[in-house]
Amino acid sequence: MNYIINKLFVLTVLMFGFIINAQQNEQPNIILIYADDLGKGLLSHYGQKIISTPHIDQLAQEGITFENAYSGMVCAPSRASLISGLRDCDPNNFQVTKAGIYSKLNSGTNTNQEIQGMIDSALTPPNKDAIFLGEVAQKQGYVTGQFGKLEWGFATSHQQMVRHGWDEYYGYLDHVRAHGFYPPFLFRNGEVEYIEGNTHADCGKTKENETPEKFKERWNMEGKTVYSQHLFMTNVLNFISKNKEKPFFLYFPTQLPHGPVSVPAVHPDFANNKQLTQIEKEYASMVKMLDDNVGQIMAHLKNLGIDENTLVIFTSDNGHEIYYAQEGRIYKPYKNVKTGERFDDLKNKFYSDLGGDVFDGNGGRAGLKRSNLQGGIVTPLIARWPKKIAKGQNSNLLVANYDFVATLADVTGYNGEIKTDGVSFYNELIGKGNTKSHDYVIYASFIGPTIITNDGWKLRTHMPKKAFELYYLPDDYREENDLSQKYPEKVKVLKNEMLKACAGDLENGVFTFGKNSIDVEKLSKIKK
């Protein structure tokens, strides 16, 4: 009798273990590729004519394209919204630090531990019940990894990385250092890793506004041996390989194609293109490298036999930025190439034809990065997951980058409480259609907040000039026909909603590096 009972017990344990393993195997792997300053118009899937991006295009062909996706207008607050699930226009939602503090490692002024201690002491710890992007997957048994331009910054620490749910990470902890592509050191799980052959304290950062002297300096490769993106790709592929038997969440915030321009070689596609200047060829090569990296990741998944149940999401942190300015061609600060008049994001809006952008990186829209015009906040959003997503789908659902925490919770099966401004787009992702959606999304910018409704109305502010503009985007995606005088009640309603989201003050929706960024060194001294 005891023998039979023991046998039944063993069978029960084995069966239970089988069920658990089966459930774990059913969980999809998740890869989020986060491009840096990639305007929607730079992808051939969205109409780019000069740069071909076949691998990213293939993601769209084999998955779903979200045509109405928004993100923040600049790096750190946009990434903070992505990782926290909260809007960037409420100062109570998260803190952003100033960049540059890790340069003290180069001079020997402070140790790594001292710098990280200053960051941790300057920041207010998040609430215990706050949950972050990596943490959602981690709580569901996922192995989590992040590689590249880490976290939201502008400078971050190991303590933050761990709190936000990352089991493993490698890359830049400071976004100013990430403006160079040949770092003398990067960080792996809190520790400094030196890179042999890279000797420039500024990571080999190049200079904008092209001249023959800057070209010569850029291609002087002394002390520039190892390109950072190559290091990230090695780590990304290794992470996938070693975790192929487990559910994993890989967040890849690449540097590409953020400038200043720096690339090991001009891509053959552009070497003999007489339409482009030399620096435009180099910039196009950075976009091309990003696409090639996506292709390498997809090929690796297929070689490992795990691509069928891997959700791959491709998006960007903000809209397009110009890094290939050159006298007589395109100017930075931006101005009309025909009249010489500076663009002001109001009466004189940047459009590619007026500004001289040969790539039309904002896809014909007004504005660029930092602006609340469409060119600054509309971003690509493409997802592929063969097991769940039908090929060649398109969605007009209004999606915000602060929806990702809620969406990841649904993808992974997390059912704990989440404080978020976002709405999960999981059902839309898998073709069931969202029963819940945003009434509107709201974002901050350098000139003030903006609100976009799910039926296409947009109210934008220009706080320095105390201006409000109203557009109906389905008929006017270029934001050329201001309807604020025609529909004053619509302006009033949207302004009130925007005011609530900005914690009662529209000035909270004005982001500046000085006002909104914490001076880590100064504040840590005060707290001591």
Side-chain angles (χ1 to χ4, degrees):
M1 187 68 175
N2 285 341
Y3 172 78
I4 294 172
I5 291 171
N6 288 338
K7 198 79 167 171
L8 285 170
F9 176 76
V10 170
L11 286 171
T12 301
V13 170
L14 288 172
M15 184 62 72
F16 182 72
F18 175 80
I19 291 169
I20 293 297
N21 285 332
Q23 288 175 339
Q24 287 177 337
N25 290 335
E26 284 297 305
Q27 288 180 297
N29 303 310
I30 304 164
I31 299 176
L32 173 56
I33 302 169
Y34 206 55
D36 198 353
D37 287 4
L38 182 84
K40 196 171 181 178
L42 288 172
L43 302 179
S44 47
H45 175 64
Y46 294 105
Q48 171 60 222
K49 303 300 183 186
I50 297 172
I51 308 168
S52 173
T53 53
H55 302 296
I56 298 170
D57 295 357
Q58 189 172 354
L59 290 181
Q61 292 157 12
E62 297 177 355
I64 184 170
T65 299
F66 288 87
E67 302 287 1
N68 201 18
Y70 288 84
S71 195
M73 51 76 225
V74 80
C75 186
S78 183
R79 291 158 192 262
S81 285
L82 175 87
I83 292 168
S84 70
L86 302 173
R87 295 190 188 104
D88 63 2
C89 57
D90 185 337
N92 302 306
N93 282 346
F94 47 74
Q95 295 171 309
V96 171
T97 57
K98 283 188 177 180
I101 192 166
Y102 281 100
S103 63
K104 292 178 177 294
L105 271 179
N106 294 312
S107 62
T109 308
N110 294 98
T111 66
N112 178 31
Q113 288 71 25
E114 287 171 341
I115 292 168
Q116 298 205 30
M118 283 191 277
I119 294 171
D120 294 335
S121 66
L123 292 171
T124 304
N127 293 332
K128 291 181 180 179
D129 58 353
I131 188 161
F132 300 94
L133 191 70
E135 192 181 5
V136 168
Q138 196 178 58
K139 285 179 178 293
Q140 289 303 104
Y142 279 68
V143 179
T144 60
Q146 183 181 162
F147 305 94
K149 185 175 173 180
L150 301 170
E151 278 300 291
W152 71 64
F154 288 103
T156 191
S157 70
H158 178 67
Q159 180 173 296
Q160 273 190 299
M161 297 295 296
V162 171
R163 175 64 183 86
H164 294 169
W166 305 108
D167 295 317
E168 179 182 342
Y169 66 86
Y170 175 76
Y172 295 91
L173 289 176
D174 190 310
H175 289 189
V176 160
R177 296 188 67 250
H179 292 171
F181 287 78
Y182 295 92
F185 61 86
L186 291 170
F187 293 86
R188 187 182 302 280
N189 306 326
E191 299 300 321
V192 177
E193 274 195 11
Y194 289 94
I195 300 161
E196 189 174 352
N198 289 355
T199 60
H200 292 267
D202 65 355
C203 303
K205 181 179 178 179
T206 62
K207 296 174 183 176
E208 294 189 64
N209 291 308
E210 182 73 334
T211 64
E213 293 74 26
K214 289 172 184 176
F215 167 80
K216 185 177 179 181
E217 181 182 339
R218 186 166 66 253
W219 286 101
N220 177 357
M221 300 307 291
E222 184 179 350
K224 296 188 286 189
T225 302
V226 185
Y227 192 68
S228 54
Q229 191 70 9
H230 297 338
L231 292 169
F232 299 151
M233 280 301 297
T234 297
N235 280 269
V236 162
L237 299 179
N238 286 343
F239 179 83
I240 293 170
S241 294
K242 72 182 181 182
N243 294 299
K244 64 183 179 179
E245 304 294 339
K246 313 165 190 173
F248 63 79
F249 172 38
L250 165 62
Y251 173 39
F252 182 20
T254 169
Q255 279 175 280
L256 298 171
H258 195 297
V261 168
S262 182
V263 71
V266 171
H267 193 279
D269 279 8
F270 315 113
N272 299 312
N273 189 325
K274 295 179 181 179
Q275 184 182 359
L276 303 177
T277 64
Q278 172 64 26
I279 195 161
E280 287 168 348
K281 292 176 183 180
E282 293 173 31
Y283 176 80
S285 299
M286 294 173 78
V287 178
K288 193 71 178 178
M289 181 185 289
L290 172 62
D291 184 70
D292 288 342
N293 289 164
V294 171
Q296 291 164 352
I297 290 169
M298 298 311 298
H300 195 55
L301 294 173
K302 289 176 182 177
N303 289 339
L304 294 174
I306 59 174
D307 77 301
E308 187 74 14
N309 196 29
T310 298
L311 168 60
V312 178
I313 301 174
F314 179 91
T315 188
S316 179
D317 61 345
N318 47 249
H320 184 50
E321 171 74 304
I322 307 294
Y323 290 109
Y324 35 90
Q326 189 168 345
E327 182 75 23
R329 177 76 167 182
I330 185 169
Y331 295 90
K332 198 170 184 180
Y334 308 119
K335 62 182 180 180
N336 189 309
V337 292
K338 297 173 183 175
T339 67
E341 191 174 11
R342 287 276 297 270
F343 296 113
D344 64 1
D345 278 346
L346 190 61
K347 299 301 180 184
N348 298 302
K349 298 180 175 72
F350 178 97
Y351 293 99
S352 295
D353 56 339
L354 300 179
D357 183 14
V358 67
F359 299 113
D360 188 20
N362 63 12
R365 297 168 182 83
L368 296 163
K369 174 183 175 180
R370 299 184 181 86
S371 170
N372 61 21
L373 290 162
Q374 292 294 91
I377 56 178
V378 168
T379 49
L381 177 55
I382 299 167
R384 177 191 184 272
W385 182 7
K387 190 170 183 178
K388 293 280 189 178
I389 300 175
K391 292 183 178 180
Q393 300 299 300
N394 283 276
S395 170
N396 289 312
L397 183 74
L398 181 61
V399 176
N401 65 336
Y402 48 82
D403 292 338
F404 276 74
V405 171
T407 303
L408 204 72
D410 282 348
V411 172
T412 62
Y414 179 81
N415 55 15
E417 187 176 345
I418 297 175
K419 180 194 173 187
T420 179
D421 294 318
V423 176
S424 171
F425 55 89
Y426 173 71
N427 283 335
E428 188 78 5
L429 196 70
I430 62 174
K432 291 185 176 180
N434 264 39
T435 55
K436 186 180 179 184
S437 61
H438 286 289
D439 292 328
Y440 51 79
V441 298
I442 299 178
Y443 286 99
S445 80
F446 276 59
I447 54 175
T450 189
I451 179 170
I452 301 101
T453 70
N454 62 8
D455 56 355
W457 288 96
K458 174 177 179 176
L459 181 69
R460 66 179 294 260
T461 62
H462 194 300
M463 298 301 290
K465 297 188 178 181
K466 303 188 186 309
F468 292 83
E469 291 185 327
L470 180 71
Y471 296 102
Y472 184 60
L473 296 173
D475 294 341
D476 186 21
Y477 79 99
R478 285 171 60 86
E479 297 172 274
E480 295 175 311
N481 184 24
D482 178 16
L483 301 173
S484 59
Q485 297 300 315
K486 188 175 181 179
Y487 299 105
E489 282 303 311
K490 177 69 72 174
V491 171
K492 182 179 179 181
V493 169
L494 296 181
K495 185 177 178 181
N496 285 337
E497 293 298 333
M498 198 157 50
L499 196 62
K500 286 188 282 186
C502 293
D505 186 355
L506 293 181
E507 288 293 337
N508 287 330
V510 180
F511 182 89
T512 63
F513 291 122
K515 184 186 81 171
N516 300 84
S517 302
I518 292 173
D519 188 327
V520 168
E521 187 176 10
K522 183 177 179 181
L523 191 57
S524 64
K525 288 178 180 177
I526 292 171
K527 286 190 175 183
K528 285 180 181 178

